[in-house]
Amino acid sequence: VGHFDWRVQNLAFDGSRVAAIYDWDSIHLGPEAAVVGSASVIHPVDWRRDLADPLPSPAQVEAFVRDYEVARGTPFAGAVLAVLRAAQRWTASYGARCQHSDQQLDVFPDVDHSHGWPRLLRELLAP
């Protein structure tokens, strides 16, 4: 069971302690690697902040996965690692699709649509 919209915006803090978790309709049953892969590409996002590109860099994505592997005590490998990578790309693809739709419908006319999800998806797909 995992939260497939695990981003900082869906958390409330009391100091450095997590005090509340929001968006419980994003709870689903799935492989651990899929949950971690999804969280690795969205964890720092807070759409309320005025940032040109709130999404992580590929280095930050990999750091999230490495930190998780340390906490779990074993690295992801083989087919399980492939599931993690697929979840990263699926999450970025879904975000890019939403961002493209917003651009086509002129939902957020002041947003530079060359950043964000399309950028992250390109970087995740790069060899």
Side-chain angles (χ1 to χ4, degrees), residues 97-117:
R97 193 241 352 133
C98 291
Q99 190 171 339
H100 176 73
S101 175
D102 289 349
Q103 181 181 15
Q104 296 305 305
L105 297 172
D106 203 26
V107 174
F108 302 107
D110 298 331
V111 171
D112 178 357
H113 292 281
S114 65
H115 298 296
W117 291 112

Side-chain angles (χ1 to χ4, degrees), residues 18-103:
V18 174
I21 301 170
Y22 305 107
D23 197 20
W24 285 94
D25 59 328
S26 293
I27 299 294
H28 302 284
L29 181 61
E32 176 187 24
V35 176
V36 174
S38 176
S40 71
V41 299
I42 199 165
H43 70 278
V45 173
D46 185 341
W47 297 115
R48 300 167 299 187
R49 298 183 64 205
D50 188 24
L51 300 174
D53 188 348
L55 295 168
S57 68
Q60 291 170 309
V61 170
E62 288 309 305
F64 182 97
V65 173
R66 281 192 308 276
D67 287 347
Y68 187 90
E69 289 172 328
V70 167
R72 87 191 278 259
T74 184
F76 293 102
V80 176
L81 180 59
V83 169
L84 186 142
R85 299 288 181 229
Q88 290 172 328
R89 292 173 176 141
W90 183 92
T91 302
S93 296
Y94 177 79
R97 193 241 352 133
C98 291
Q99 190 171 339
H100 176 73
S101 175
D102 289 349
Q103 181 181 15

